[in-house]
Amino acid sequence: MSLSITSSVSSRSAARGLVPLCAAVGAYLFYLSAGEILLRDSDTMWQIRVGQWILEHGAMPTSDVFSFTRFGEPWISSSWLSQVVYALVYGGDWAGPVILSSMAIGATVAIFLHLLSPYFDPARAILIAALALLLSTIHFFARPHVLALPVLLAFIGGLLAAADRRTSPSWWLLPLMTLWANLHGGFVLGLALIGPIGLEAVWNAEPGRRRQLVVRWGLFGLAALAASCLTPYGWTSLLGATKILSLGKLLTLIGEWKPADFSKPSFFEATLLGLIGLICYRRLTLSVPRILLLLGLIWMALSHVRNIEVFAFIAPLVLAKPIAEQWGTASATAARFGETRAFPVVTILAAIAMVIGAWVTTAMFVAQHQFKFLPMFSPVAAVDVLQQHKAQRVFSTAPFGGYMVSRDMKVFIDGRAELYGEQFVLDYYDALDARDVGQLLGLLDKYRIDATLLSSDSPAGNALDHLKGWKRLYKDDIAVIHVRSDETKVGAAPAAERSN
């Protein structure tokens, strides 16, 4: 009888130990199979081109080389490592970036479940992870922030775990900060949360230990700040990462930086209201620092929709310990943790089998499926026409800019809003709207534009159909091209300048 009981406990232990890996593999395969949802943002294209430029030149960019409107002006890439990694896996098709991004999402799920495991049983933890994925998928693209997401979660989760234990953070988190600072500019969030999370640790500590904890968290914060400067750009990485936050009114016009819109029903709205209702109904009590953390995460998500994923993965970690202690799940999970180390051999073998199975599945799927970028961001035929026409200074939409950069064309604008600045991009939006035709023509003359590449339904494109001095050269379902009807009259740029 004792042998059968031991075997049963060991089997349950092995199964529970595999829950994060099983969920990670499942998430990976899901996003791999639906890979096109990761290819919905043309910024992916210029991100890869930046990585290719770094590999080709063996140096970091310090000024713009991809546009003719900002050519030579100071610009640094705070996501250089992600861009290089994407460039390395990009083999002329999109399978590599899709696989890499899907792996990052799977790793995020595994880390998330591992961090939740002390407080929730596997079923509840998986449900919370599924909700987090549903909230975040709107911002899952093959871009640097997805590669940085598991690092973000591991670092902030490590801070919260230390606060839950009422201790100082592990110094092993510092290499994560350095990695994060090279992967994506979002590392400033990790630095900003050290203080509030440290306050939670100090708040709940015994009075005699508070001064010691303040010193240790303070030293860790300084060390994390120093670790974040271990990039090719040094401390200027901090300035580059925060520059986009100074764009003012412009942030309300850029899709992922817009505030949350509750004028129509959304899953985020339902989740937020459900969370508030559940906390009130079950009378969950939070410490003042946790309340401030939760309110801060909600404010971030309401201010910019790109922060919804941060709310989705970090808010559950903020609430996990109070829920476990006050709603009676702490004792059950503690008992479960006593079992999890019982049978590591089975766990390791099963993990190896799952990884091999996922790899084989990937190879078979990629061999039969060609990943494609959304056509609306890839005006292939139109760019072919522009290159045949030898157009040099092309006024185009920002979404087309990524594809044009990938075709080695100097662009008017792309997704690097922090490079172009608030007023330039606002003028660009006004020109696209074509509400003031004189303003549109003024911008085209100011930058000596010799051709335009606009979406086929663009108001500016419709206006150019009827403006003297311009003629339509090409149009399809994706894009329309206009060129000057007499390019000799409105000073086309000299050949030497065009080469820039």
PDB file of all heavy atoms in Angstrom, residues 31 35-44 86 97-98 101-102 104-105 136-147 256 306 309 373-374 377:
ATOM      1  N   TYR A  31       0.879  30.321 -31.060  1.00  0.00           N
ATOM      2  CA  TYR A  31       1.305  31.527 -31.762  1.00  0.00           C
ATOM      3  C   TYR A  31       2.109  31.197 -33.016  1.00  0.00           C
ATOM      4  O   TYR A  31       2.119  31.974 -33.969  1.00  0.00           O
ATOM      5  CB  TYR A  31       2.093  32.439 -30.817  1.00  0.00           C
ATOM      6  CG  TYR A  31       1.178  33.150 -29.843  1.00  0.00           C
ATOM      7  CD1 TYR A  31       0.965  32.649 -28.568  1.00  0.00           C
ATOM      8  CD2 TYR A  31       0.493  34.286 -30.225  1.00  0.00           C
ATOM      9  CE1 TYR A  31       0.104  33.283 -27.687  1.00  0.00           C
ATOM     10  CE2 TYR A  31      -0.379  34.925 -29.355  1.00  0.00           C
ATOM     11  CZ  TYR A  31      -0.570  34.419 -28.088  1.00  0.00           C
ATOM     12  OH  TYR A  31      -1.438  35.039 -27.228  1.00  0.00           O
ATOM     13  N   GLY A  35       0.917  32.405 -36.883  1.00  0.00           N
ATOM     14  CA  GLY A  35       2.063  33.297 -36.972  1.00  0.00           C
ATOM     15  C   GLY A  35       1.788  34.641 -37.597  1.00  0.00           C
ATOM     16  O   GLY A  35       2.450  35.627 -37.267  1.00  0.00           O
ATOM     17  N   GLU A  36       0.802  34.730 -38.493  1.00  0.00           N
ATOM     18  CA  GLU A  36       0.538  36.000 -39.160  1.00  0.00           C
ATOM     19  C   GLU A  36       0.076  37.082 -38.184  1.00  0.00           C
ATOM     20  O   GLU A  36       0.204  38.272 -38.482  1.00  0.00           O
ATOM     21  CB  GLU A  36      -0.507  35.809 -40.262  1.00  0.00           C
ATOM     22  CG  GLU A  36       0.056  35.346 -41.594  1.00  0.00           C
ATOM     23  CD  GLU A  36       0.545  33.900 -41.579  1.00  0.00           C
ATOM     24  OE1 GLU A  36       0.159  33.154 -40.657  1.00  0.00           O
ATOM     25  OE2 GLU A  36       1.300  33.524 -42.492  1.00  0.00           O
ATOM     26  N   ILE A  37      -0.464  36.681 -37.026  1.00  0.00           N
ATOM     27  CA  ILE A  37      -0.892  37.711 -36.075  1.00  0.00           C
ATOM     28  C   ILE A  37       0.313  38.426 -35.470  1.00  0.00           C
ATOM     29  O   ILE A  37       0.175  39.510 -34.896  1.00  0.00           O
ATOM     30  CB  ILE A  37      -1.779  37.129 -34.953  1.00  0.00           C
ATOM     31  CG1 ILE A  37      -0.983  36.193 -34.036  1.00  0.00           C
ATOM     32  CG2 ILE A  37      -2.989  36.424 -35.515  1.00  0.00           C
ATOM     33  CD1 ILE A  37      -1.780  35.735 -32.837  1.00  0.00           C
ATOM     34  N   LEU A  38       1.495  37.820 -35.599  1.00  0.00           N
ATOM     35  CA  LEU A  38       2.718  38.480 -35.136  1.00  0.00           C
ATOM     36  C   LEU A  38       3.329  39.373 -36.208  1.00  0.00           C
ATOM     37  O   LEU A  38       4.293  40.084 -35.943  1.00  0.00           O
ATOM     38  CB  LEU A  38       3.752  37.427 -34.704  1.00  0.00           C
ATOM     39  CG  LEU A  38       3.311  36.474 -33.597  1.00  0.00           C
ATOM     40  CD1 LEU A  38       4.368  35.390 -33.389  1.00  0.00           C
ATOM     41  CD2 LEU A  38       3.076  37.233 -32.299  1.00  0.00           C
ATOM     42  N   LEU A  39       2.769  39.321 -37.408  1.00  0.00           N
ATOM     43  CA  LEU A  39       3.290  40.089 -38.544  1.00  0.00           C
ATOM     44  C   LEU A  39       2.273  41.138 -38.969  1.00  0.00           C
ATOM     45  O   LEU A  39       1.893  41.249 -40.132  1.00  0.00           O
ATOM     46  CB  LEU A  39       3.622  39.156 -39.710  1.00  0.00           C
ATOM     47  CG  LEU A  39       4.639  38.053 -39.406  1.00  0.00           C
ATOM     48  CD1 LEU A  39       4.789  37.130 -40.605  1.00  0.00           C
ATOM     49  CD2 LEU A  39       5.987  38.652 -39.020  1.00  0.00           C
ATOM     50  N   ARG A  40       1.833  41.928 -38.001  1.00  0.00           N
ATOM     51  CA  ARG A  40       0.804  42.934 -38.265  1.00  0.00           C
ATOM     52  C   ARG A  40       1.330  44.356 -38.110  1.00  0.00           C
ATOM     53  O   ARG A  40       0.544  45.306 -38.100  1.00  0.00           O
ATOM     54  CB  ARG A  40      -0.377  42.741 -37.300  1.00  0.00           C
ATOM     55  CG  ARG A  40      -1.157  41.458 -37.502  1.00  0.00           C
ATOM     56  CD  ARG A  40      -2.190  41.258 -36.396  1.00  0.00           C
ATOM     57  NE  ARG A  40      -1.552  40.974 -35.102  1.00  0.00           N
ATOM     58  CZ  ARG A  40      -1.859  41.590 -33.970  1.00  0.00           C
ATOM     59  NH1 ARG A  40      -2.757  42.539 -33.957  1.00  0.00           N
ATOM     60  NH2 ARG A  40      -1.246  41.265 -32.846  1.00  0.00           N
ATOM     61  N   ASP A  41       2.632  44.508 -37.962  1.00  0.00           N
ATOM     62  CA  ASP A  41       3.195  45.828 -37.726  1.00  0.00           C
ATOM     63  C   ASP A  41       4.452  45.986 -38.582  1.00  0.00           C
ATOM     64  O   ASP A  41       5.414  45.232 -38.422  1.00  0.00           O
ATOM     65  CB  ASP A  41       3.531  45.993 -36.247  1.00  0.00           C
ATOM     66  CG  ASP A  41       3.912  47.420 -35.892  1.00  0.00           C
ATOM     67  OD1 ASP A  41       4.363  48.149 -36.790  1.00  0.00           O
ATOM     68  OD2 ASP A  41       3.769  47.805 -34.725  1.00  0.00           O
ATOM     69  N   SER A  42       4.445  46.982 -39.456  1.00  0.00           N
ATOM     70  CA  SER A  42       5.573  47.154 -40.371  1.00  0.00           C
ATOM     71  C   SER A  42       6.851  47.578 -39.664  1.00  0.00           C
ATOM     72  O   SER A  42       7.931  47.550 -40.262  1.00  0.00           O
ATOM     73  CB  SER A  42       5.224  48.177 -41.458  1.00  0.00           C
ATOM     74  OG  SER A  42       5.016  49.458 -40.884  1.00  0.00           O
ATOM     75  N   ASP A  43       6.768  47.981 -38.390  1.00  0.00           N
ATOM     76  CA  ASP A  43       7.984  48.314 -37.649  1.00  0.00           C
ATOM     77  C   ASP A  43       8.936  47.123 -37.584  1.00  0.00           C
ATOM     78  O   ASP A  43      10.147  47.294 -37.461  1.00  0.00           O
ATOM     79  CB  ASP A  43       7.642  48.770 -36.234  1.00  0.00           C
ATOM     80  CG  ASP A  43       7.144  50.207 -36.196  1.00  0.00           C
ATOM     81  OD1 ASP A  43       7.052  50.823 -37.278  1.00  0.00           O
ATOM     82  OD2 ASP A  43       6.838  50.706 -35.100  1.00  0.00           O
ATOM     83  N   THR A  44       8.382  45.920 -37.658  1.00  0.00           N
ATOM     84  CA  THR A  44       9.225  44.722 -37.673  1.00  0.00           C
ATOM     85  C   THR A  44      10.278  44.813 -38.773  1.00  0.00           C
ATOM     86  O   THR A  44      11.433  44.410 -38.579  1.00  0.00           O
ATOM     87  CB  THR A  44       8.357  43.470 -37.896  1.00  0.00           C
ATOM     88  OG1 THR A  44       7.442  43.342 -36.802  1.00  0.00           O
ATOM     89  CG2 THR A  44       9.208  42.214 -37.973  1.00  0.00           C
ATOM     90  N   TYR A  86      16.875  39.284 -34.218  1.00  0.00           N
ATOM     91  CA  TYR A  86      15.880  39.134 -35.284  1.00  0.00           C
ATOM     92  C   TYR A  86      16.558  39.070 -36.657  1.00  0.00           C
ATOM     93  O   TYR A  86      16.153  38.290 -37.532  1.00  0.00           O
ATOM     94  CB  TYR A  86      14.885  40.292 -35.255  1.00  0.00           C
ATOM     95  CG  TYR A  86      13.693  40.060 -34.358  1.00  0.00           C
ATOM     96  CD1 TYR A  86      13.384  40.952 -33.337  1.00  0.00           C
ATOM     97  CD2 TYR A  86      12.857  38.969 -34.538  1.00  0.00           C
ATOM     98  CE1 TYR A  86      12.281  40.753 -32.514  1.00  0.00           C
ATOM     99  CE2 TYR A  86      11.756  38.754 -33.729  1.00  0.00           C
ATOM    100  CZ  TYR A  86      11.475  39.660 -32.712  1.00  0.00           C
ATOM    101  OH  TYR A  86      10.388  39.439 -31.911  1.00  0.00           O
ATOM    102  N   PRO A  97      11.634  35.042 -37.479  1.00  0.00           N
ATOM    103  CA  PRO A  97      11.057  35.977 -36.514  1.00  0.00           C
ATOM    104  C   PRO A  97       9.804  35.457 -35.829  1.00  0.00           C
ATOM    105  O   PRO A  97       9.602  35.700 -34.632  1.00  0.00           O
ATOM    106  CB  PRO A  97      10.742  37.209 -37.378  1.00  0.00           C
ATOM    107  CG  PRO A  97      11.750  37.153 -38.482  1.00  0.00           C
ATOM    108  CD  PRO A  97      11.901  35.686 -38.781  1.00  0.00           C
ATOM    109  N   VAL A  98       8.945  34.724 -36.560  1.00  0.00           N
ATOM    110  CA  VAL A  98       7.732  34.175 -35.946  1.00  0.00           C
ATOM    111  C   VAL A  98       8.089  33.124 -34.898  1.00  0.00           C
ATOM    112  O   VAL A  98       7.540  33.114 -33.785  1.00  0.00           O
ATOM    113  CB  VAL A  98       6.800  33.575 -37.024  1.00  0.00           C
ATOM    114  CG1 VAL A  98       5.691  32.740 -36.379  1.00  0.00           C
ATOM    115  CG2 VAL A  98       6.195  34.684 -37.869  1.00  0.00           C
ATOM    116  N   SER A 101       9.659  34.897 -31.806  1.00  0.00           N
ATOM    117  CA  SER A 101       8.650  35.612 -31.012  1.00  0.00           C
ATOM    118  C   SER A 101       7.743  34.639 -30.270  1.00  0.00           C
ATOM    119  O   SER A 101       7.391  34.871 -29.106  1.00  0.00           O
ATOM    120  CB  SER A 101       7.820  36.522 -31.920  1.00  0.00           C
ATOM    121  OG  SER A 101       8.638  37.451 -32.595  1.00  0.00           O
ATOM    122  N   SER A 102       7.372  33.544 -30.929  1.00  0.00           N
ATOM    123  CA  SER A 102       6.524  32.538 -30.279  1.00  0.00           C
ATOM    124  C   SER A 102       7.248  31.887 -29.110  1.00  0.00           C
ATOM    125  O   SER A 102       6.644  31.596 -28.064  1.00  0.00           O
ATOM    126  CB  SER A 102       6.095  31.477 -31.296  1.00  0.00           C
ATOM    127  OG  SER A 102       5.365  32.049 -32.368  1.00  0.00           O
ATOM    128  N   ALA A 104       9.496  33.358 -27.259  1.00  0.00           N
ATOM    129  CA  ALA A 104       9.512  34.349 -26.186  1.00  0.00           C
ATOM    130  C   ALA A 104       8.185  34.374 -25.443  1.00  0.00           C
ATOM    131  O   ALA A 104       8.151  34.478 -24.208  1.00  0.00           O
ATOM    132  CB  ALA A 104       9.830  35.733 -26.755  1.00  0.00           C
ATOM    133  N   ILE A 105       7.089  34.248 -26.177  1.00  0.00           N
ATOM    134  CA  ILE A 105       5.772  34.211 -25.526  1.00  0.00           C
ATOM    135  C   ILE A 105       5.638  32.954 -24.683  1.00  0.00           C
ATOM    136  O   ILE A 105       5.130  32.989 -23.556  1.00  0.00           O
ATOM    137  CB  ILE A 105       4.655  34.295 -26.577  1.00  0.00           C
ATOM    138  CG1 ILE A 105       4.717  35.646 -27.305  1.00  0.00           C
ATOM    139  CG2 ILE A 105       3.286  34.102 -25.933  1.00  0.00           C
ATOM    140  CD1 ILE A 105       3.796  35.741 -28.500  1.00  0.00           C
ATOM    141  N   SER A 136      -3.097  40.501 -23.825  1.00  0.00           N
ATOM    142  CA  SER A 136      -1.835  40.968 -24.387  1.00  0.00           C
ATOM    143  C   SER A 136      -1.702  40.750 -25.882  1.00  0.00           C
ATOM    144  O   SER A 136      -0.868  41.405 -26.527  1.00  0.00           O
ATOM    145  CB  SER A 136      -0.665  40.268 -23.680  1.00  0.00           C
ATOM    146  OG  SER A 136      -0.728  40.455 -22.282  1.00  0.00           O
ATOM    147  N   THR A 137      -2.475  39.831 -26.448  1.00  0.00           N
ATOM    148  CA  THR A 137      -2.281  39.452 -27.854  1.00  0.00           C
ATOM    149  C   THR A 137      -2.390  40.636 -28.799  1.00  0.00           C
ATOM    150  O   THR A 137      -1.735  40.667 -29.851  1.00  0.00           O
ATOM    151  CB  THR A 137      -3.291  38.349 -28.243  1.00  0.00           C
ATOM    152  OG1 THR A 137      -3.036  37.183 -27.458  1.00  0.00           O
ATOM    153  CG2 THR A 137      -3.170  37.986 -29.713  1.00  0.00           C
ATOM    154  N   ILE A 138      -3.167  41.645 -28.429  1.00  0.00           N
ATOM    155  CA  ILE A 138      -3.316  42.823 -29.283  1.00  0.00           C
ATOM    156  C   ILE A 138      -1.978  43.520 -29.517  1.00  0.00           C
ATOM    157  O   ILE A 138      -1.784  44.211 -30.515  1.00  0.00           O
ATOM    158  CB  ILE A 138      -4.333  43.810 -28.655  1.00  0.00           C
ATOM    159  CG1 ILE A 138      -4.673  44.916 -29.645  1.00  0.00           C
ATOM    160  CG2 ILE A 138      -3.795  44.393 -27.358  1.00  0.00           C
ATOM    161  CD1 ILE A 138      -5.763  45.856 -29.167  1.00  0.00           C
ATOM    162  N   HIS A 139      -1.015  43.302 -28.601  1.00  0.00           N
ATOM    163  CA  HIS A 139       0.293  43.966 -28.732  1.00  0.00           C
ATOM    164  C   HIS A 139       1.423  42.966 -28.927  1.00  0.00           C
ATOM    165  O   HIS A 139       2.587  43.303 -28.728  1.00  0.00           O
ATOM    166  CB  HIS A 139       0.562  44.823 -27.485  1.00  0.00           C
ATOM    167  CG  HIS A 139       1.684  45.794 -27.665  1.00  0.00           C
ATOM    168  ND1 HIS A 139       2.711  45.926 -26.766  1.00  0.00           N
ATOM    169  CD2 HIS A 139       1.954  46.695 -28.655  1.00  0.00           C
ATOM    170  CE1 HIS A 139       3.558  46.855 -27.177  1.00  0.00           C
ATOM    171  NE2 HIS A 139       3.119  47.339 -28.326  1.00  0.00           N
ATOM    172  N   PHE A 140       1.087  41.750 -29.340  1.00  0.00           N
ATOM    173  CA  PHE A 140       2.110  40.751 -29.634  1.00  0.00           C
ATOM    174  C   PHE A 140       2.495  40.866 -31.111  1.00  0.00           C
ATOM    175  O   PHE A 140       1.713  40.526 -31.999  1.00  0.00           O
ATOM    176  CB  PHE A 140       1.601  39.338 -29.349  1.00  0.00           C
ATOM    177  CG  PHE A 140       1.666  38.965 -27.890  1.00  0.00           C
ATOM    178  CD1 PHE A 140       1.021  37.821 -27.435  1.00  0.00           C
ATOM    179  CD2 PHE A 140       2.364  39.719 -26.976  1.00  0.00           C
ATOM    180  CE1 PHE A 140       1.072  37.461 -26.103  1.00  0.00           C
ATOM    181  CE2 PHE A 140       2.418  39.375 -25.639  1.00  0.00           C
ATOM    182  CZ  PHE A 140       1.773  38.234 -25.203  1.00  0.00           C
ATOM    183  N   PHE A 141       3.691  41.374 -31.365  1.00  0.00           N
ATOM    184  CA  PHE A 141       4.241  41.476 -32.706  1.00  0.00           C
ATOM    185  C   PHE A 141       5.656  40.908 -32.679  1.00  0.00           C
ATOM    186  O   PHE A 141       6.256  40.750 -31.622  1.00  0.00           O
ATOM    187  CB  PHE A 141       4.307  42.934 -33.177  1.00  0.00           C
ATOM    188  CG  PHE A 141       3.018  43.695 -33.072  1.00  0.00           C
ATOM    189  CD1 PHE A 141       2.913  44.804 -32.254  1.00  0.00           C
ATOM    190  CD2 PHE A 141       1.910  43.300 -33.796  1.00  0.00           C
ATOM    191  CE1 PHE A 141       1.729  45.504 -32.149  1.00  0.00           C
ATOM    192  CE2 PHE A 141       0.716  43.994 -33.708  1.00  0.00           C
ATOM    193  CZ  PHE A 141       0.623  45.094 -32.879  1.00  0.00           C
ATOM    194  N   ALA A 142       6.182  40.619 -33.857  1.00  0.00           N
ATOM    195  CA  ALA A 142       7.584  40.192 -33.955  1.00  0.00           C
ATOM    196  C   ALA A 142       8.473  41.421 -33.834  1.00  0.00           C
ATOM    197  O   ALA A 142       9.076  41.889 -34.806  1.00  0.00           O
ATOM    198  CB  ALA A 142       7.828  39.461 -35.275  1.00  0.00           C
ATOM    199  N   ARG A 143       8.535  41.938 -32.623  1.00  0.00           N
ATOM    200  CA  ARG A 143       9.273  43.162 -32.338  1.00  0.00           C
ATOM    201  C   ARG A 143      10.022  43.017 -31.018  1.00  0.00           C
ATOM    202  O   ARG A 143       9.744  42.096 -30.236  1.00  0.00           O
ATOM    203  CB  ARG A 143       8.313  44.359 -32.287  1.00  0.00           C
ATOM    204  CG  ARG A 143       7.936  44.913 -33.634  1.00  0.00           C
ATOM    205  CD  ARG A 143       6.887  46.013 -33.532  1.00  0.00           C
ATOM    206  NE  ARG A 143       7.085  46.880 -32.390  1.00  0.00           N
ATOM    207  CZ  ARG A 143       6.153  47.734 -31.941  1.00  0.00           C
ATOM    208  NH1 ARG A 143       4.988  47.805 -32.558  1.00  0.00           N
ATOM    209  NH2 ARG A 143       6.377  48.496 -30.903  1.00  0.00           N
ATOM    210  N   PRO A 144      10.965  43.909 -30.729  1.00  0.00           N
ATOM    211  CA  PRO A 144      11.812  43.749 -29.543  1.00  0.00           C
ATOM    212  C   PRO A 144      11.076  43.619 -28.225  1.00  0.00           C
ATOM    213  O   PRO A 144      11.531  42.895 -27.322  1.00  0.00           O
ATOM    214  CB  PRO A 144      12.681  45.010 -29.572  1.00  0.00           C
ATOM    215  CG  PRO A 144      12.837  45.312 -31.029  1.00  0.00           C
ATOM    216  CD  PRO A 144      11.492  44.981 -31.624  1.00  0.00           C
ATOM    217  N   HIS A 145       9.936  44.301 -28.048  1.00  0.00           N
ATOM    218  CA  HIS A 145       9.276  44.245 -26.743  1.00  0.00           C
ATOM    219  C   HIS A 145       8.801  42.836 -26.408  1.00  0.00           C
ATOM    220  O   HIS A 145       8.705  42.481 -25.229  1.00  0.00           O
ATOM    221  CB  HIS A 145       8.104  45.232 -26.692  1.00  0.00           C
ATOM    222  CG  HIS A 145       6.937  44.859 -27.551  1.00  0.00           C
ATOM    223  ND1 HIS A 145       6.855  45.155 -28.891  1.00  0.00           N
ATOM    224  CD2 HIS A 145       5.788  44.195 -27.267  1.00  0.00           C
ATOM    225  CE1 HIS A 145       5.722  44.725 -29.379  1.00  0.00           C
ATOM    226  NE2 HIS A 145       5.050  44.117 -28.420  1.00  0.00           N
ATOM    227  N   VAL A 146       8.524  42.018 -27.427  1.00  0.00           N
ATOM    228  CA  VAL A 146       8.112  40.632 -27.157  1.00  0.00           C
ATOM    229  C   VAL A 146       9.305  39.801 -26.680  1.00  0.00           C
ATOM    230  O   VAL A 146       9.164  38.969 -25.769  1.00  0.00           O
ATOM    231  CB  VAL A 146       7.466  40.008 -28.411  1.00  0.00           C
ATOM    232  CG1 VAL A 146       7.278  38.504 -28.251  1.00  0.00           C
ATOM    233  CG2 VAL A 146       6.126  40.674 -28.694  1.00  0.00           C
ATOM    234  N   LEU A 147      10.480  40.016 -27.255  1.00  0.00           N
ATOM    235  CA  LEU A 147      11.664  39.308 -26.786  1.00  0.00           C
ATOM    236  C   LEU A 147      12.013  39.715 -25.357  1.00  0.00           C
ATOM    237  O   LEU A 147      12.557  38.916 -24.584  1.00  0.00           O
ATOM    238  CB  LEU A 147      12.861  39.586 -27.702  1.00  0.00           C
ATOM    239  CG  LEU A 147      12.785  39.070 -29.135  1.00  0.00           C
ATOM    240  CD1 LEU A 147      14.163  39.193 -29.795  1.00  0.00           C
ATOM    241  CD2 LEU A 147      12.312  37.632 -29.185  1.00  0.00           C
ATOM    242  N   GLU A 256      -0.512  52.335 -30.627  1.00  0.00           N
ATOM    243  CA  GLU A 256      -0.192  51.614 -29.406  1.00  0.00           C
ATOM    244  C   GLU A 256       0.030  52.525 -28.208  1.00  0.00           C
ATOM    245  O   GLU A 256       0.102  52.063 -27.075  1.00  0.00           O
ATOM    246  CB  GLU A 256       1.032  50.726 -29.615  1.00  0.00           C
ATOM    247  CG  GLU A 256       2.293  51.481 -29.983  1.00  0.00           C
ATOM    248  CD  GLU A 256       3.441  50.530 -30.284  1.00  0.00           C
ATOM    249  OE1 GLU A 256       3.363  49.364 -29.897  1.00  0.00           O
ATOM    250  OE2 GLU A 256       4.422  50.972 -30.916  1.00  0.00           O
ATOM    251  N   ARG A 306      -0.533  49.981 -25.044  1.00  0.00           N
ATOM    252  CA  ARG A 306       0.606  49.070 -25.101  1.00  0.00           C
ATOM    253  C   ARG A 306       0.983  48.566 -23.705  1.00  0.00           C
ATOM    254  O   ARG A 306       1.703  47.574 -23.589  1.00  0.00           O
ATOM    255  CB  ARG A 306       1.808  49.738 -25.760  1.00  0.00           C
ATOM    256  CG  ARG A 306       2.382  50.908 -25.010  1.00  0.00           C
ATOM    257  CD  ARG A 306       3.649  51.423 -25.663  1.00  0.00           C
ATOM    258  NE  ARG A 306       4.743  50.490 -25.523  1.00  0.00           N
ATOM    259  CZ  ARG A 306       5.643  50.239 -26.460  1.00  0.00           C
ATOM    260  NH1 ARG A 306       5.566  50.832 -27.624  1.00  0.00           N
ATOM    261  NH2 ARG A 306       6.627  49.409 -26.247  1.00  0.00           N
ATOM    262  N   GLU A 309      -0.456  44.779 -21.540  1.00  0.00           N
ATOM    263  CA  GLU A 309       0.245  43.518 -21.295  1.00  0.00           C
ATOM    264  C   GLU A 309       1.014  43.556 -19.975  1.00  0.00           C
ATOM    265  O   GLU A 309       1.131  42.537 -19.279  1.00  0.00           O
ATOM    266  CB  GLU A 309       1.190  43.199 -22.445  1.00  0.00           C
ATOM    267  CG  GLU A 309       2.366  44.135 -22.563  1.00  0.00           C
ATOM    268  CD  GLU A 309       3.037  44.058 -23.915  1.00  0.00           C
ATOM    269  OE1 GLU A 309       2.335  44.100 -24.937  1.00  0.00           O
ATOM    270  OE2 GLU A 309       4.274  43.980 -23.942  1.00  0.00           O
ATOM    271  N   PHE A 373       3.731  38.632 -44.391  1.00  0.00           N
ATOM    272  CA  PHE A 373       3.370  39.887 -43.763  1.00  0.00           C
ATOM    273  C   PHE A 373       2.046  40.373 -44.344  1.00  0.00           C
ATOM    274  O   PHE A 373       1.706  40.054 -45.485  1.00  0.00           O
ATOM    275  CB  PHE A 373       4.462  40.933 -43.999  1.00  0.00           C
ATOM    276  CG  PHE A 373       4.779  41.737 -42.777  1.00  0.00           C
ATOM    277  CD1 PHE A 373       5.824  41.382 -41.955  1.00  0.00           C
ATOM    278  CD2 PHE A 373       4.012  42.839 -42.445  1.00  0.00           C
ATOM    279  CE1 PHE A 373       6.117  42.114 -40.833  1.00  0.00           C
ATOM    280  CE2 PHE A 373       4.283  43.584 -41.318  1.00  0.00           C
ATOM    281  CZ  PHE A 373       5.348  43.221 -40.503  1.00  0.00           C
ATOM    282  N   LEU A 374       1.289  41.130 -43.566  1.00  0.00           N
ATOM    283  CA  LEU A 374       0.039  41.654 -44.081  1.00  0.00           C
ATOM    284  C   LEU A 374       0.301  42.486 -45.339  1.00  0.00           C
ATOM    285  O   LEU A 374       1.152  43.381 -45.336  1.00  0.00           O
ATOM    286  CB  LEU A 374      -0.640  42.536 -43.032  1.00  0.00           C
ATOM    287  CG  LEU A 374      -1.322  41.812 -41.861  1.00  0.00           C
ATOM    288  CD1 LEU A 374      -2.021  42.821 -40.969  1.00  0.00           C
ATOM    289  CD2 LEU A 374      -2.326  40.793 -42.359  1.00  0.00           C
ATOM    290  N   PHE A 377       0.795  46.357 -45.460  1.00  0.00           N
ATOM    291  CA  PHE A 377       2.046  46.981 -45.041  1.00  0.00           C
ATOM    292  C   PHE A 377       3.195  46.670 -45.994  1.00  0.00           C
ATOM    293  O   PHE A 377       4.330  47.072 -45.742  1.00  0.00           O
ATOM    294  CB  PHE A 377       2.428  46.533 -43.631  1.00  0.00           C
ATOM    295  CG  PHE A 377       1.430  46.938 -42.577  1.00  0.00           C
ATOM    296  CD1 PHE A 377       1.012  46.033 -41.621  1.00  0.00           C
ATOM    297  CD2 PHE A 377       0.917  48.220 -42.562  1.00  0.00           C
ATOM    298  CE1 PHE A 377       0.098  46.402 -40.645  1.00  0.00           C
ATOM    299  CE2 PHE A 377      -0.009  48.600 -41.588  1.00  0.00           C
ATOM    300  CZ  PHE A 377      -0.416  47.695 -40.632  1.00  0.00           C
TER     301      PHE A 377
END
